[in-house]
Amino acid sequence: MQSLQEKASAWSGVDQADAFAIDEFNLFEKLGLQSFINLSTNFYTRVYDDEEEWFRSMFSNSKKEDAIQNQYEFFVQRMGGPPLYSQRKGHPALIGRHRPFPVTHEAAERWLQHMQNAIDESVDIDQDSKVKMMNFFRHTAFFLVAGNELKNQNQNQNNQVACKHAANKPAEEE
Amino acid sequence: MQSLQEKASAWSGVDQADAFAIDEFNLFEKLGLQSFINLSTNFYTRVYDDEEEWFRSMFSNSKKEDAIQNQYEFFVQRMGGPPLYSQRKGHPALIGRHRPFPVTHEAAERWLQHMQNAIDESVDIDQDSKVKMMNFFRHTAFFLVAGNELKNQNQNQNNQVACKHAANKPAEEE
């Protein structure tokens, strides 16, 4: 069975080494806090204004300013800065915290399109860092798609086992 | 509804600030790689020799040397060292990667007892670092219990909705 990271690489087209090239130097020290705040603000402005209701509605239980803070604090922590996210919210637990959301291939692509547009508009981030960050984002988005499919597998298995109406009956083939 | 980190604090008795006091200084630079390898080796020797089959069996699908490497690479990465874990396996995704396992309160306490014994035997780690690390481990163990309960909630909800034998019947109270 393919691992989460193998699926992420296969689906994103970004191999593990390129995805984590963000660790080759300290992006937080290079770019500074404000660059990350600006990027997440631009990104979520696009997301909350998305014309596609199926995508926009996934974020409707969070306030935009909270979404922005959660994201830039995670980026800062993961890219060499102080652990702002964990101090406030604990482990990132990316798959666990995305559990309520249908992170499909289509949702990953739409998330990435908004992020590509936000990155393209950024005047704070140099070209090399933009490439590294987009590789990280692309791999991570499909890592979460892989995590989402794991959830569906578990639920299907559990339905077969746990349905009380089918007690002691052999599982039916469908 | 309590968040994952609120549950982790309530159940572990370790508040967020104490759990992430590991970030106050760089534990990897202070302790060095070999201290982490020794700790994880001691810990997993205890786990794989555990007399309690219910606990030991949770690890039986992994080779002991792989379990040791996964753990010390994560600790090194999280405590200020190079991102060894992510370079090899991607995001830690603590809740997602623990999804196959029944991370109960009892399992968390047993994990912590083995880790306390391993920490107590460590001659590489100073007392202050031991306290910080155990607070982090304790909070994290119960963070994973909280993640595990979220999984059960999802499955219960899903069973009510998806059971094909109960189509169009109202949900029964149990």
Side-chain angles (χ1 to χ4, degrees):
Chain A
M1 196 178 74
Q2 274 188 312
S3 65
L4 292 166
Q5 62 273 23
E6 285 167 345
K7 285 183 185 172
S9 292
W11 293 339
S12 67
V14 179
D15 69 26
Q16 187 88 353
D18 286 333
F20 291 94
I22 57 161
D23 291 322
E24 286 172 9
F25 55 81
N26 191 313
L27 278 163
F28 174 75
E29 288 177 8
K30 183 173 190 180
L31 302 174
L33 177 63
Q34 194 59 48
S35 302
F36 290 96
I37 296 175
N38 292 348
L39 178 64
S40 295
T41 302
N42 189 324
F43 170 77
Y44 274 113
T45 298
R46 293 169 180 281
V47 166
Y48 279 75
D49 287 345
D50 193 328
E51 63 195 14
E52 292 284 351
E53 200 271 340
W54 68 268
F55 186 78
R56 193 180 65 240
S57 66
M58 279 195 266
F59 302 86
S60 59
N61 282 339
S62 299
K63 282 190 284 186
K64 181 177 161 186
E65 56 268 34
D66 293 340
I68 292 169
Q69 184 181 14
N70 289 341
Q71 187 185 75
Y72 81 69
E73 287 190 353
F74 170 67
F75 288 171
V76 163
Q77 169 166 333
R78 186 60 193 80
M79 298 189 199
L84 301 179
Y85 186 90
S86 288
Q87 284 165 3
R88 196 167 57 84
K89 302 201 63 168
H91 292 284
L94 286 182
I95 291 175
R97 293 187 193 267
H98 283 81
R99 191 195 298 271
F101 309 109
V103 187
T104 60
H105 289 254
E106 193 181 10
E109 290 292 4
R110 195 156 188 93
W111 191 102
L112 287 164
Q113 188 57 57
H114 288 307
M115 184 54 83
Q116 183 70 62
N117 291 340
I119 281 265
D120 286 346
E121 278 193 1
S122 171
V123 294
D124 312 309
I125 306 176
D126 62 284
Q127 189 55 35
D128 180 62
S129 300
K130 285 182 178 182
V131 171
K132 285 187 166 66
M133 288 167 71
M134 276 309 301
N135 279 334
F136 173 77
F137 295 145
R138 188 162 181 84
H139 184 93
T140 300
F142 283 98
F143 181 84
L144 292 177
V145 176
N148 190 63
E149 296 204 346
L150 195 65
K151 172 177 77 184
N152 295 336
Q153 284 166 17
N154 277 13
Q155 288 178 340
N156 290 339
Q157 285 169 4
N158 206 59
N159 288 340
Q160 287 184 3
V161 173
C163 168
K164 65 191 173 187
H165 301 93
N168 302 320
K169 285 191 205 170
E172 293 167 34
E173 298 292 330
E174 296 196 307
Chain B
M1 196 178 74
Q2 275 188 310
S3 65
L4 291 166
Q5 61 273 22
E6 285 166 347
K7 287 184 182 171
S9 291
W11 294 339
S12 67
V14 179
D15 68 25
Q16 188 88 351
D18 286 334
F20 291 95
I22 57 162
D23 292 322
E24 287 172 8
F25 55 82
N26 191 312
L27 279 163
F28 175 76
E29 287 177 8
K30 184 174 190 180
L31 302 174
L33 177 63
Q34 193 60 48
S35 302
F36 290 96
I37 296 175
N38 293 348
L39 178 64
S40 294
T41 303
N42 188 324
F43 170 77
Y44 274 113
T45 298
R46 295 170 180 282
V47 167
Y48 279 74
D49 287 345
D50 193 326
E51 62 194 15
E52 293 284 353
E53 200 271 341
W54 67 269
F55 186 79
R56 192 180 66 239
S57 67
M58 276 195 268
F59 301 86
S60 59
N61 281 339
S62 299
K63 282 191 284 186
K64 182 177 160 186
E65 57 267 36
D66 292 340
I68 292 168
Q69 183 180 13
N70 289 341
Q71 188 186 74
Y72 79 71
E73 286 189 352
F74 170 67
F75 288 172
V76 164
Q77 170 168 332
R78 187 59 192 80
M79 298 188 199
L84 301 178
Y85 185 90
S86 288
Q87 284 164 2
R88 197 166 57 83
K89 302 201 65 169
H91 291 285
L94 286 182
I95 292 175
R97 293 187 194 267
H98 284 82
R99 191 194 297 271
F101 309 110
V103 187
T104 61
H105 288 254
E106 192 180 11
E109 289 293 2
R110 195 155 188 92
W111 191 103
L112 287 163
Q113 188 56 59
H114 289 307
M115 185 53 84
Q116 183 70 62
N117 292 339
I119 281 266
D120 286 346
E121 278 193 2
S122 172
V123 293
D124 312 310
I125 305 176
D126 63 284
Q127 189 55 35
D128 181 62
S129 300
K130 285 181 179 183
V131 171
K132 286 188 166 64
M133 288 167 72
M134 277 308 301
N135 279 335
F136 173 77
F137 296 146
R138 189 162 181 84
H139 184 93
T140 301
F142 284 96
F143 181 83
L144 292 177
V145 176
N148 190 64
E149 297 203 346
L150 195 65
K151 172 177 78 184
N152 296 336
Q153 283 166 16
N154 276 13
Q155 289 178 340
N156 290 340
Q157 286 169 0
N158 208 56
N159 288 338
Q160 286 185 2
V161 173
C163 168
K164 64 191 173 190
H165 301 92
N168 301 320
K169 285 189 207 171
E172 294 167 35
E173 298 293 329
E174 296 198 304

